[in-house]
Amino acid sequence: MTQKLQYLDYYIFIPYLILSGIGVVMVYSASSYKVQMAGGDPTTYLKKQLLFAILGLMVVFFIYAIKVNFFKSSKFIITFGAVSILSLVYVVASGKTVNGAAGWINLGIFNVQPAEISKIFLVLFMAQQVAFRENKELSYDSRYKRRFIYAVAVALPLFLILIEPDVGGFIINASAVLIIILASGYSIGITTLISVGGMGGLMLLLSKLKSVSPDSGGPLAYMAGRFVGFSDPFKYQQSSGQQLVNSYYALSNGGIFGAGLGNSIQKRGYLPEPYTDFILAITGEELGLLMVLFILILIFGMIGRIVFIGSKSKETFHTLCCYGIATFMTVQTVFNVGGISGILPITGVTFPFLSYGGSSMLILSFCVGLVLSISALRKKDLVNSK
């Protein structure tokens, strides 16, 4: 481990630390007023997010210390996949409903979101299967048997995420799947079939939303309200457009330099999720547009570095892991920023590393550790080749 540290990629590690640090500060700032008004300890979410950040850092170094091939092993991926799918089945059947989606399992100290776990499973599983596909010794029957297993293992978690319903989680996971398929060199026919299947499921859900009244109650009604609010937020600012309108106010109040840390108005009961979905809006209000741009530079700089590492890797498994991780980080960031700015409908997608949440932080930290380990192998190979 000590020898491996000399190959640590600081272009990923330093932004990770900065973003996690900003997240801890902003979670405290965004949550303290709401908790205090409810008669609780204003540092409640600060303590939790700090714990998540510390645990996340431990996860990064733990994953970094393990050989990458361990995560390629069928035993690990099957176990991880079983946990992912069983947890998704559980939440669909009896999970805790949060913001219209039954996508959470309550573990006491924090809620686990199985859709987050699925990100890792889908990326590792698909990267492994494509790597196996390159083995020319597989028989004709073995190849088609593997493709069938591959299709079921990918489609099942995506289907379960979609029927929670969690549109944001579905799009994030499906995007990673699609990019890995495109990067793997599969035929146009297979790629088109999978793309049409995914889009078909999504369009079916959206078509159902058209016939659902936002006032009818239930998960679909909540989701329909978000789309209605997106279409004309000021018309529905007393109902489904309230979140987006107050997000506009937050960004407008902040201007270029911000109103100052802790001085947000919109976190005082106007935005219902100031420390999760809308933490970037509160950051913009308190610290200004310049800080928001700095955060976006850090996150997209990380993503660009991950893509670069993947493109330079000599192993297919490493390359596709990097592409998959970069994809879901990109889509998650775009959907969060698009949601708070009104460019896209609000989907409940959190901002990577900044938003409050244990499962998101730990899963992202796992991914950072894996990419750092892949980067270290590449650097070591470059040194040995000289």
Side-chain angles (χ1 to χ4, degrees):
M1 177 62 178
T2 304
Q3 184 180 6
K4 196 175 182 181
L5 284 175
Q6 66 180 310
Y7 301 114
L8 188 66
D9 195 321
Y10 290 101
Y11 291 105
I12 293 176
F13 187 63
I14 296 300
Y16 164 78
L17 289 179
I18 295 173
L19 288 169
S20 299
I22 294 173
V24 170
V25 173
M26 290 312 304
V27 164
Y28 172 56
S29 178
S31 65
S32 57
Y33 178 85
K34 185 176 181 179
V35 176
Q36 191 172 23
M37 289 299 100
D41 180 1
T43 63
T44 297
Y45 287 100
L46 167 65
K47 294 173 183 176
K48 288 185 177 181
Q49 189 67 10
L50 182 59
L51 174 61
F52 297 151
I54 293 172
L55 289 175
L57 187 60
M58 293 171 64
V59 168
V60 168
F61 283 110
F62 177 74
I63 299 301
Y64 185 66
I66 300 174
K67 292 182 178 180
V68 178
N69 281 340
F70 172 79
F71 302 106
K72 187 180 178 181
S73 67
S74 295
K75 183 182 293 186
F76 175 80
I77 293 177
I78 291 173
T79 302
F80 207 91
V83 171
S84 172
I85 292 173
L86 289 175
S87 60
L88 283 169
V89 170
Y90 174 79
V91 297
V92 169
S94 59
K96 179 181 178 181
T97 300
V98 178
N99 291 342
W104 304 82
I105 299 175
N106 190 345
L107 295 183
I109 186 172
F110 65 92
N111 295 322
V112 172
Q113 192 174 15
E116 293 287 333
I117 301 174
S118 296
K119 293 176 183 177
I120 294 179
F121 164 64
L122 288 172
V123 168
L124 293 180
F125 176 75
M126 294 191 63
Q128 181 210 47
Q129 292 302 305
V130 173
F132 281 163
R133 186 173 68 93
E134 294 182 347
N135 184 356
K136 303 300 183 181
E137 297 179 1
L138 285 175
S139 66
Y140 181 86
D141 291 338
S142 296
R143 289 177 186 173
Y144 275 86
K145 181 180 179 181
R146 188 176 293 278
R147 285 183 182 180
F148 175 76
I149 296 172
Y150 176 97
V152 172
V154 170
L156 184 56
L158 290 177
F159 173 74
L160 291 169
I161 292 170
L162 186 62
I163 64 174
E164 286 182 11
D166 181 1
V167 173
F170 172 80
I171 293 175
I172 291 170
N173 280 275
S175 297
V177 168
L178 181 60
I179 292 300
I180 291 177
I181 290 173
L182 292 173
S184 66
Y186 270 106
S187 67
I188 297 297
I190 293 176
T191 304
T192 303
L193 180 63
I194 294 174
S195 301
V196 170
M199 287 300 297
L202 183 59
M203 293 305 295
L204 180 63
L205 177 62
L206 294 178
S207 66
K208 286 186 176 181
L209 290 179
K210 292 182 179 180
S211 60
V212 176
S213 171
D215 301 320
S216 61
L220 288 179
Y222 185 87
M223 193 180 302
R226 283 183 159 177
F227 278 90
V228 169
F230 165 73
S231 64
D232 194 345
F234 287 96
K235 180 180 179 180
Y236 300 99
Q237 60 180 315
Q238 299 301 322
S239 55
S240 54
Q242 181 185 26
Q243 290 182 337
L244 183 53
V245 168
N246 283 298
S247 179
Y248 287 157
Y249 289 153
L251 295 171
S252 176
N253 292 341
I256 296 177
F257 301 105
L261 186 63
N263 294 329
S264 167
I265 296 173
Q266 299 306 310
K267 71 181 181 183
R268 302 174 187 270
Y270 297 100
L271 275 173
E273 305 290 346
Y275 48 89
T276 54
D277 304 4
F278 289 90
I279 195 166
L280 196 64
I282 301 299
T283 303
E285 184 178 12
E286 294 190 349
L287 302 180
L289 176 63
L290 292 180
M291 176 55 76
V292 171
L293 291 176
F294 175 67
I295 290 170
L296 293 178
I297 288 171
L298 287 177
I299 190 71
F300 283 114
M302 280 185 68
I303 292 168
R305 182 65 179 177
I306 292 171
V307 172
F308 173 79
I309 292 168
S311 68
K312 296 298 182 181
S313 177
K314 296 179 180 179
E315 292 197 26
T316 301
F317 179 76
H318 298 173
T319 297
L320 296 181
C321 280
C322 288
Y323 288 171
I325 291 169
T327 298
F328 78 67
M329 285 179 63
T330 300
V331 176
Q332 185 171 338
T333 302
V334 168
F335 265 74
N336 181 269
V337 175
I340 68 168
S341 60
I343 298 173
L344 296 171
I346 296 169
T347 55
V349 172
T350 56
F351 194 92
F353 306 109
L354 256 66
S355 296
Y356 170 78
S359 56
S360 177
M361 176 61 78
L362 296 181
I363 293 301
L364 286 167
S365 297
F366 181 105
C367 294
V368 169
L370 180 61
V371 172
L372 287 174
S373 189
I374 292 172
S375 176
L377 283 176
R378 188 183 71 85
K379 287 184 177 181
K380 186 177 179 181
D381 289 341
L382 288 175
V383 171
N384 293 337
S385 63
K386 291 180 179 180

